[in-house]
Amino acid sequence: MEAKDTILPPYLFESCLLTVDLNNIEFNENLFSIQPNLTSDFCTLNCDQSSDKLVQIMDLNGQVVSEYTMSKDQYTLNLDLTSYSAGLYIVSVATDHYQSTKRIIKR
């Protein structure tokens, strides 16, 4: 079989603009805190990093149920969990150089 160059339509590349190099990300368990981590409605996430932050809340299947961005000047995020089902959730915070995860329990 002869090898051929293939030109793919540009829309196939639109979702591939983010490149992550895990060698440059440091896992930092003290990157953020959540209070309270056992809640039936709201909790507050605190992160004192002065860089942009991506916050993801995932269920135990790894599905992202909520996603937020925090600017470099934003250090607190109020999370509304009232619409979530009871159970355990994973909260992940990532910056350009750090990543951390914590658990929250929704009653």
Side-chain angles (χ1 to χ4, degrees):
M1 179 178 266
E2 184 179 323
K4 294 195 268 183
D5 289 338
T6 303
I7 298 175
L8 298 174
Y11 64 85
L12 290 177
F13 297 103
E14 288 178 7
S15 65
C16 300
L17 297 177
L18 177 63
T19 302
V20 176
D21 181 3
L22 292 178
N23 293 324
N24 293 328
I25 295 177
E26 182 178 327
F27 294 94
N28 180 349
E29 69 181 59
N30 298 318
L31 181 64
F32 71 100
S33 64
I34 298 178
Q35 299 296 328
N37 73 341
L38 173 61
T39 184
S40 59
D41 48 20
F42 297 92
C43 59
T44 302
L45 183 144
N46 296 300
C47 182
D48 62 359
Q49 292 291 312
S50 59
S51 59
D52 293 335
K53 299 161 276 291
L54 174 65
V55 178
Q56 293 181 318
I57 301 176
M58 296 167 279
D59 63 18
L60 290 180
N61 294 322
Q63 295 289 97
V64 175
V65 293
S66 293
E67 186 171 277
Y68 307 91
T69 55
M70 295 173 67
S71 69
K72 63 182 180 179
D73 299 324
Q74 183 180 5
Y75 302 104
T76 302
L77 179 65
N78 293 316
L79 302 173
D80 181 0
L81 306 178
T82 55
S83 65
Y84 290 28
S85 300
L88 182 67
Y89 293 88
I90 305 298
V91 179
S92 172
V93 175
T95 68
D96 289 340
H97 301 288
Y98 300 104
Q99 181 174 2
S100 184
T101 59
K102 297 199 183 295
R103 296 180 299 244
I104 53 175
I105 300 171
K106 166 67 164 57
R107 291 192 248 177

